[in-house]
Amino acid sequence: MPTVHAPTREAGADHRPATPPVIRAGGRRISRAWPYLLIAPAVAGGVFLLLYPLLRAALISFQHFRMGELIRGGAAFIGLDNYRELLAAGEFWAVVLRTFVWTAINVVLIVGISTGIALMLVRLGRRMRTALMSVLALVWATPIIAATTVFQWLFQSRLGIVNWLLVRVGFDSFEGYSWFANGTAMFGVLVVLVVWQSVPFAALTLYAGLTTIPVELYESARLDGAGGWQVFRQITFPILRPMFALITSLEVIWVFKCFPQIWVLGQGGPDGATTTLPVYAFKIARALHRYDLGSAVAILTVVILTVALVGNLRRMLKQEGADT
């Protein structure tokens, strides 16, 4: 019987298994869209929670919407009547001016103090820097209402620590002084509170930016005889200009729409001395049940903020283009 030989394999032949089938174009499209599908529910929820209240407030601002319409419905459209009523009222413009003053004072103090703290953090030793950053983080993490309540206790007329300390150092006129009965004093207390709450975020953000600046730039500037202010003006600020612009914009938003602190401490008083646009809108809707007028104030607040921030963004982009 003849012997059957198995077929021999040629030297150098490729014995790898067959390649898998090529993924179809439809599968590639699904794989590329998968990350967007995963975040779609969160994006949709965020858009709904942010956009729906704004659109609803805009709709109410064009309607006759008061307590009766809130209960039975059927609000009638009245066009721009609510806006005409607001713009013709002297009280509205007084509140707008007060809001701009409030925002300017707070933002200037926040950015200035935060810059100083950030520069100090760079120069501190490791332990002191860690301790200070921990304190800043704790201040930042403190709930707004809790911090506002603490400030109420600190500035109480009879049992407050602030009056006690001022009297101990020789200011006897602060014995039993009522901070919350005087408009200017109340305004000052609120400024201290908001600045205290806002500085940690800005300071830590600026410190993170300062750590990215090469040390060689500072060494070269000092060898050329530049002082501290010259180093900041010619090196630090130009490099961190976008970050300063971003922080300023965020703080403008934060301060301009500030509501809980003002409402908890004095509900915009005394005599409206601390009433800003958000507080004014709430007071109109709550006390007068003018939900249409309150919504108009809220929409105008959004418009004012948008115009201010768009102008700041355009100026920042123009400056960046000039630098490049």
Side-chain angles (χ1 to χ4, degrees):
M1 179 181 294
T3 304
V4 179
H5 297 282
T8 59
R9 298 176 179 175
E10 297 180 1
D14 190 0
H15 307 301
R16 290 175 299 178
T19 57
V22 180
I23 301 175
R24 295 181 179 178
R28 286 199 298 269
R29 284 196 294 267
I30 293 176
S31 63
R32 290 174 183 173
W34 186 243
Y36 302 99
L37 294 175
L38 290 176
I39 66 172
V43 172
V47 169
F48 176 77
L49 292 175
L50 294 175
L51 195 59
Y52 174 76
L54 180 62
L55 295 177
R56 181 62 175 163
L59 176 62
I60 293 175
S61 69
F62 293 106
Q63 295 176 328
H64 183 279
F65 200 103
R66 304 185 185 182
M67 182 62 74
E69 287 74 18
L70 179 65
I71 296 173
R72 65 175 181 267
F77 282 91
I78 58 174
L80 298 174
D81 288 355
N82 290 319
Y83 292 96
R84 293 192 188 98
E85 182 179 350
L86 270 179
L87 298 178
E91 183 182 7
F92 171 75
W93 293 109
V95 172
V96 170
L97 177 60
R98 187 182 302 115
T99 305
F100 277 109
V101 172
W102 158 262
T103 304
I105 293 174
N106 279 280
V107 171
V108 168
L109 289 175
I110 291 168
V111 175
I113 295 173
S114 300
T115 302
I117 292 177
L119 293 172
M120 181 175 63
L121 283 171
V122 175
R123 290 166 175 76
L124 286 176
R126 183 188 220 173
R127 293 183 179 178
M128 289 299 299
R129 182 167 58 248
T130 303
L132 182 55
M133 292 177 67
S134 301
V135 171
L136 292 172
L138 288 175
V139 172
W140 189 17
T142 304
I144 293 176
I145 301 300
T148 305
T149 304
V150 170
F151 267 70
Q152 279 184 317
W153 296 340
L154 291 175
F155 287 91
Q156 278 186 345
S157 58
R158 296 188 178 277
L159 303 177
I161 296 177
V162 174
N163 283 351
W164 178 78
L165 287 175
L166 291 173
V167 171
R168 290 294 297 267
V169 298
F171 296 98
D172 296 332
S173 59
F174 284 94
E175 179 71 38
Y177 181 75
S178 179
W179 293 87
F180 305 130
N182 182 278
T184 304
M186 176 68 124
F187 194 94
V189 171
L190 284 168
V191 168
V192 173
L193 171 59
V194 171
V195 170
W196 178 78
Q197 291 177 321
S198 305
V199 160
F201 167 76
L204 293 175
T205 305
L206 287 174
Y207 167 70
L210 287 171
T211 58
T212 64
I213 300 177
V215 181
E216 293 79 7
L217 295 177
Y218 293 115
E219 293 176 350
S220 299
R222 292 190 182 95
L223 289 175
D224 292 338
W229 169 246
Q230 291 176 320
V231 169
F232 177 81
R233 185 169 57 87
Q234 297 177 4
I235 297 178
T236 305
F237 184 75
I239 294 176
L240 297 183
R241 183 184 286 112
M243 184 170 289
F244 275 103
L246 176 62
I247 289 175
T248 302
S249 300
L250 292 176
E251 294 301 336
V252 167
I253 297 173
W254 161 259
V255 175
F256 200 91
K257 68 182 185 63
C258 182
F259 175 81
Q261 300 91 326
I262 300 174
W263 188 256
V264 170
L265 279 184
Q267 300 184 358
D271 298 327
T274 57
T275 298
T276 57
L277 280 172
V279 179
Y280 185 58
F282 184 77
K283 288 172 72 173
I284 290 176
R286 180 176 180 267
L288 304 178
H289 302 294
R290 292 289 307 274
Y291 307 110
D292 47 6
L293 205 61
S295 297
V297 176
I299 295 301
L300 288 176
T301 302
V302 173
V303 170
I304 293 172
L305 259 180
T306 302
V307 171
L309 293 176
V310 167
N312 183 44
L313 181 61
R314 290 183 60 185
R315 185 169 56 253
M316 181 181 69
L317 293 176
K318 187 182 295 186
Q319 185 65 42
E320 286 297 311
D323 292 342
T324 56

